[in-house]
Amino acid sequence: MKKSTLFSGLGVGALGLGALYVATRPKPAPLPTVPSVDLARYAGKWYEIAAFPQRFEKGCHCTTAQYTLKEGYVEVRNSCRKNSPNGPLKETVGKAFPVEGSHNAKLKVQFFWPFKGDYWILSLAPDYSHVLVGAPDRQYLWILARTRHLDQTAYDQLVQDAQGLGFDTRKLRKADQRCPDR
């Protein structure tokens, strides 16, 4: 008996076992965000303290994000030093659009039209000194701070918050922020 015939009674058919795995994998719980974000206070420079590795940040050192309020959106200017703390500066500029009804806690970020990604603010210090940002599929996670370094207690709390939200924090990698001032 062929595999496709054997599994067709299970509803898998020609799709194979991968489809069975995807169909039975539990969906993650809904991801809560902070109640609201004051974008004027959120604007400014943020340093990447730790993040899930992403191909678009490969080779980056001293990664920062500069948020600037514009009419109807937030300009996002990401920058890093390529391949070393003294490497050439690489910048990417995009736009972030608040999601209606989210009180600015959920944004859609666009670097390349027509693609937009989720940017959800999951934990935010009352003084806007550090933040935990992620996506509902839990494939993206960033810990950002207003300074190049975050004290260990605050860092540990953000990691614990991320774990409680269902993120695999074993994937977190601390960022290199040893660059000369720019």
Side-chain angles (χ1 to χ4, degrees), residues 108-176:
K108 288 286 193 180
V109 179
Q110 182 177 58
F111 286 97
F112 304 101
W113 184 87
F115 305 104
K116 291 182 183 176
D118 291 310
Y119 181 104
W120 290 16
I121 300 170
L122 309 174
S123 179
L124 179 60
D127 64 356
Y128 285 57
S129 61
H130 55 269
V131 64
L132 180 68
V133 176
D137 65 3
R138 292 166 176 82
Q139 298 302 305
Y140 298 92
L141 185 68
W142 288 273
I143 295 175
L144 307 174
R146 294 296 189 169
T147 59
R148 290 179 191 262
H149 305 285
L150 184 60
D151 75 68
Q152 193 63 45
T153 302
Y155 178 82
D156 291 344
Q157 182 61 56
L158 290 170
V159 171
Q160 186 176 353
D161 291 349
Q163 285 173 338
L165 293 170
F167 287 88
D168 181 0
T169 57
R170 296 173 298 181
K171 296 191 306 186
L172 266 177
R173 298 292 175 260
K174 287 198 173 182
D176 176 7

Side-chain angles (χ1 to χ4, degrees), residues 10-181:
L10 297 174
V12 179
L15 295 176
L17 287 175
L20 179 63
Y21 171 74
V22 170
T24 60
R25 185 175 37 178
K27 281 189 144 189
L31 189 60
T33 62
V34 296
S36 66
V37 176
D38 178 348
L39 290 178
R41 289 184 68 197
Y42 197 83
K45 189 173 195 174
W46 291 89
Y47 294 86
E48 180 178 289
I49 303 301
F52 283 179
Q54 301 297 330
R55 64 178 161 68
F56 53 82
E57 285 190 344
K58 187 174 181 173
C60 279
H61 297 259
C62 307
T63 301
T64 63
Q66 179 75 37
Y67 300 103
T68 305
L69 292 177
K70 300 287 185 175
E71 186 67 37
Y73 68 96
V74 177
E75 181 184 82
V76 180
R77 182 176 299 274
N78 290 340
S79 64
C80 75
R81 296 284 176 178
K82 286 301 282 185
N83 302 318
S84 79
N86 292 309
L89 184 65
K90 174 189 169 189
E91 289 191 321
T92 305
V93 179
K95 296 178 180 182
F97 303 92
V99 174
E100 191 173 329
S102 74
H103 303 283
N104 301 327
K106 296 178 183 179
L107 301 164
K108 288 286 193 180
V109 179
Q110 182 177 58
F111 286 97
F112 304 101
W113 184 87
F115 305 104
K116 291 182 183 176
D118 291 310
Y119 181 104
W120 290 16
I121 300 170
L122 309 174
S123 179
L124 179 60
D127 64 356
Y128 285 57
S129 61
H130 55 269
V131 64
L132 180 68
V133 176
D137 65 3
R138 292 166 176 82
Q139 298 302 305
Y140 298 92
L141 185 68
W142 288 273
I143 295 175
L144 307 174
R146 294 296 189 169
T147 59
R148 290 179 191 262
H149 305 285
L150 184 60
D151 75 68
Q152 193 63 45
T153 302
Y155 178 82
D156 291 344
Q157 182 61 56
L158 290 170
V159 171
Q160 186 176 353
D161 291 349
Q163 285 173 338
L165 293 170
F167 287 88
D168 181 0
T169 57
R170 296 173 298 181
K171 296 191 306 186
L172 266 177
R173 298 292 175 260
K174 287 198 173 182
D176 176 7
Q177 287 291 348
R178 299 175 295 138
C179 296
D181 286 335

